[in-house]
Amino acid sequence: MKNLRLTNHTVKLALSLAAATVLASCDKNEKETAPAVKEYRYVRVLVTDEQATKLTQITPRDASVASFDTDFPLGTLYPTASGRFAAVLYGSQNLVKMFDTGLESHGDHIDIKGTPKWGTITATAARPSHFKSKGEESLIFNDGDGTLSVGNEADFHNSGARFTVLNAGLQPHHGAMAHFSNGTYAVTTASASGANPTRVQVINKSGAVVHASTLQTGAIHGNASDGENAVFGAWTSTANASGGVLVVDKAGQQRLIPNPADFGAFRLGTVLYAQEARKFVGYAATKGAYLIDVANNRITPIYAGADAFQCKTDYAGKNLLVLTLDGKLRVYDLATGALKKEGNVIGATATADTYKPVLEATEKFAYVAVPSLGEVHQIQLDNFSVVAKHKVTARPVRLTVLGFESDASH
């Protein structure tokens, strides 16, 4: 009987240990298979290559990669305001095409309207350079002849459709333009063909001048608009010795906000508008990123450094991301200007590299196209050490995010 009791005790102990092991195993498996952070279902990433005539679409949610033939390499990519299309500009070949993700927003959900494909519409004016989009309208400035090309998304799949050419009587120049909420456009003007633009005027959709320029600056480059104000990076005079931003409102009022006093002979050649934060940001690779406060007429530093080679708002326009030559990524909250997170995400980049890594971001991830590796790195923003690497073409050099930060389907 003693041996039997010992045996029973042994069996009970063994069963208890087995049960504990099973529970521990279940706990471990649950932790290992817990879902990682996933990108929104309807976000898409597009990439073009330095040499290959391919456009690559990444669907980050499932890591799928699709490839589409292009007419030329080196297409410059811009998302439309609707989120559905991307403009692909081939400046040297006088061509613009529109790529359709097949995604359409209905406010509370996203519909899949078709497979990803090229639209049938084209623009063929000389040297298309800057692109802007508002609502369902796309606007292109053509450096080669000083015209604007205007297209509406309703026409993007019409057979044989072309962008409408708007001739406002401008001299050919490396120009820029912006939408106002009342349907007019702010456009740069140059005094002679091929000269730098030094003025901005407001025109209507027929090209007629609504508000003439009232302020001459030095060379203008880079601009953004919130619908009420258009902000242009500019030298303060033709001496190009000091810089600032030219602010033009939809009523035609113009004023110059000077750079900080110790800024030196530099110009904020890139201007961004962060939609959700409702902030303008100016950027220069040699000086860093600066908040442009149009209400209080001042420019203040966000990141002041000579090593920033990429400066982008996230897709919603809530945060600013700055990537520096040492491979460090910094994320700033644009509501406060505070640094939220920083850390190294890629290897160091040589200053002399013609094509450096390219940065874009959503709420959850930063995307960096690394030309030397043929990859797009998807970096989790709340944990920089979590990186998915998407193999694309051999030399990815252009990148954009489009689609919708949503998981909601019909």
Side-chain angles (χ1 to χ4, degrees), residues 341 345 364-365 378-387:
K341 192 174 182 64
V345 294
K364 299 180 181 181
F365 295 93
Q378 179 183 345
I379 302 151
Q380 191 170 307
L381 286 176
D382 63 4
N383 184 354
F384 286 176
S385 64
V386 179
V387 181

Side-chain angles (χ1 to χ4, degrees), residues 180 186 200 214-215 217 224 226 228-234 244-250 252-258 280 292-295 297-299:
F180 286 124
V200 172
T214 61
L215 185 61
T217 69
D226 62 359
E228 305 303 303
N229 298 284
V231 178
F232 296 80
V245 296
L246 174 65
V247 181
V248 181
D249 69 24
K250 66 182 183 182
Q253 299 296 311
Q254 304 193 3
R255 69 187 190 276
L256 195 69
I257 304 176
F280 288 97
I292 301 168
D293 185 345
V294 296
N297 293 320
R298 64 187 179 195
I299 298 173

Side-chain angles (χ1 to χ4, degrees), residues 14-98:
L15 289 171
S16 297
L17 289 170
T21 302
V22 169
L23 287 172
S25 176
C26 287
D27 287 343
K28 183 180 180 184
N29 287 339
E30 284 173 2
K31 289 176 182 176
E32 287 179 349
T33 58
V37 173
K38 291 185 179 294
E39 183 57 277
Y40 288 105
R41 186 179 305 277
Y42 297 110
V43 164
R44 301 292 183 264
V45 177
L46 294 184
V47 186
T48 55
D49 191 86
E50 179 190 357
Q51 299 170 340
T53 53
K54 296 289 182 183
L55 180 145
T56 305
Q57 177 179 278
I58 303 168
T59 302
R61 180 65 170 245
D62 62 11
S64 62
V65 176
S67 181
F68 302 85
D69 291 333
T70 64
D71 294 81
F72 306 101
L74 274 177
T76 304
L77 298 164
Y78 298 94
T80 61
S82 73
R84 177 172 174 174
F85 294 89
V88 188
L89 275 63
Y90 302 101
S92 298
Q93 291 82 21
N94 304 333
L95 177 66
V96 179
K97 298 183 73 172
M98 306 302 296

Side-chain angles (χ1 to χ4, degrees), residues 50-280:
E50 179 190 357
Q51 299 170 340
T53 53
K54 296 289 182 183
L55 180 145
T56 305
Q57 177 179 278
I58 303 168
T59 302
R61 180 65 170 245
D62 62 11
S64 62
V65 176
S67 181
F68 302 85
D69 291 333
T70 64
D71 294 81
F72 306 101
L74 274 177
T76 304
L77 298 164
Y78 298 94
T80 61
S82 73
R84 177 172 174 174
F85 294 89
V88 188
L89 275 63
Y90 302 101
S92 298
Q93 291 82 21
N94 304 333
L95 177 66
V96 179
K97 298 183 73 172
M98 306 302 296
F99 183 81
D100 185 0
T101 63
L103 304 175
E104 184 177 81
S105 175
H106 291 273
D108 62 343
H109 70 276
I110 310 302
D111 280 350
I112 298 177
K113 301 296 290 185
T115 58
K117 56 184 173 294
W118 290 102
T120 56
I121 197 169
T122 58
T124 55
R127 295 209 312 275
S129 58
H130 285 84
F131 177 89
K132 298 293 180 184
S133 178
K134 183 179 185 296
E136 294 193 348
E137 183 179 83
S138 292
L139 193 62
I140 303 159
F141 192 92
N142 304 302
D143 289 359
D145 58 15
T147 64
L148 301 175
S149 295
V150 186
N152 191 283
E153 292 186 11
D155 300 322
F156 285 2
H157 286 296
N158 291 344
S159 180
R162 294 288 185 95
F163 275 65
T164 300
V165 176
L166 176 59
N167 191 334
L170 304 176
Q171 294 281 356
H173 67 280
H174 185 49
M177 70 290 166
H179 287 92
F180 286 124
S181 60
N182 61 4
T184 60
Y185 311 128
V187 294
T188 57
T189 70
S191 59
S193 180
N196 287 320
T198 57
R199 290 183 179 271
V200 172
Q201 64 187 23
V202 180
I203 63 172
N204 62 21
K205 290 185 180 294
S206 299
V209 175
V210 178
H211 301 292
S213 167
T214 61
L215 185 61
Q216 180 172 311
T217 69
I220 294 170
H221 191 278
N223 76 299
S225 174
D226 62 359
E228 305 303 303
N229 298 284
V231 178
F232 296 80
W235 297 104
T236 54
S237 73
T238 53
N240 290 353
S242 62
V245 296
L246 174 65
V247 181
V248 181
D249 69 24
K250 66 182 183 182
Q253 299 296 311
Q254 304 193 3
R255 69 187 190 276
L256 195 69
I257 304 176
N259 287 337
D262 59 350
F263 202 80
F266 297 95
R267 176 187 61 178
L268 296 172
T270 298
V271 180
L272 311 170
Y273 180 66
Q275 184 71 39
E276 190 168 321
R278 298 183 179 180
K279 301 286 181 68
F280 288 97

